[in-house]
Amino acid sequence: MAIIPQLNLFAWEEIEELGDLERLRLVIAYMPDEQLMRMLEKERGKGRDDDPIRAMWNALLAGIVFQHDRDAKLLRELARNGQLRSLCGFNGKVPTPWAFSRFFT
């Protein structure tokens, strides 16, 4: 009887070795969220765009990847980490706690 080795399409060991920013980059790149983003952008319409929908969504994903259990922790991380702000899509400024809370709601 022949044993045929099966190749792994996705090895968890490779993902666990990556840094948090690289893992977030993968989540953002492969998340099937385009339809959701279009719907949210359409719903916002011509309202204020101080904090872009996609940047807020990416920040929400960052909170999950970085395992922040509170919005305040995520916002502090965004204020401290310029690479994270850039990866999420913020142009130098961090959203206010109430803006992030409204987005999440």
Side-chain angles (χ1 to χ4, degrees):
M1 178 165 126
I3 298 176
I4 301 172
Q6 183 173 352
L7 299 175
N8 288 334
L9 294 176
F10 188 74
W12 284 107
E13 295 82 23
E14 294 174 13
I15 299 299
E16 288 175 349
E17 292 175 5
L18 296 175
D20 286 339
L21 285 174
E22 191 58 36
R23 272 187 271 177
L24 177 59
R25 191 180 329 270
L26 287 172
V27 168
I28 291 171
Y30 291 102
M31 180 67 65
D33 57 1
E34 188 60 31
Q35 186 176 3
L36 174 64
M37 293 298 100
R38 287 183 183 165
M39 183 196 69
L40 290 174
E41 288 168 345
K42 182 179 178 183
E43 186 174 314
R44 176 178 263 180
K46 296 186 189 281
R48 290 179 61 176
D49 196 17
D50 295 342
D51 302 306
I53 296 284
R54 291 173 191 264
M56 297 292 272
W57 173 251
N58 291 340
L60 184 68
L61 293 176
I64 295 168
V65 170
F66 291 172
Q67 298 178 354
H68 290 301
D69 57 351
R70 305 235 186 272
D71 294 348
K73 289 182 181 180
L74 173 61
L75 293 173
R76 276 194 304 273
E77 179 74 17
L78 282 166
R80 184 189 69 76
N81 190 336
Q83 288 179 320
L84 177 59
R85 276 194 314 273
S86 176
L87 183 60
C88 288
F90 294 109
N91 294 325
K93 69 178 189 94
V94 179
T96 60
W98 53 87
F100 195 75
S101 175
R102 281 194 317 265
F103 175 78
F104 190 68
T105 299

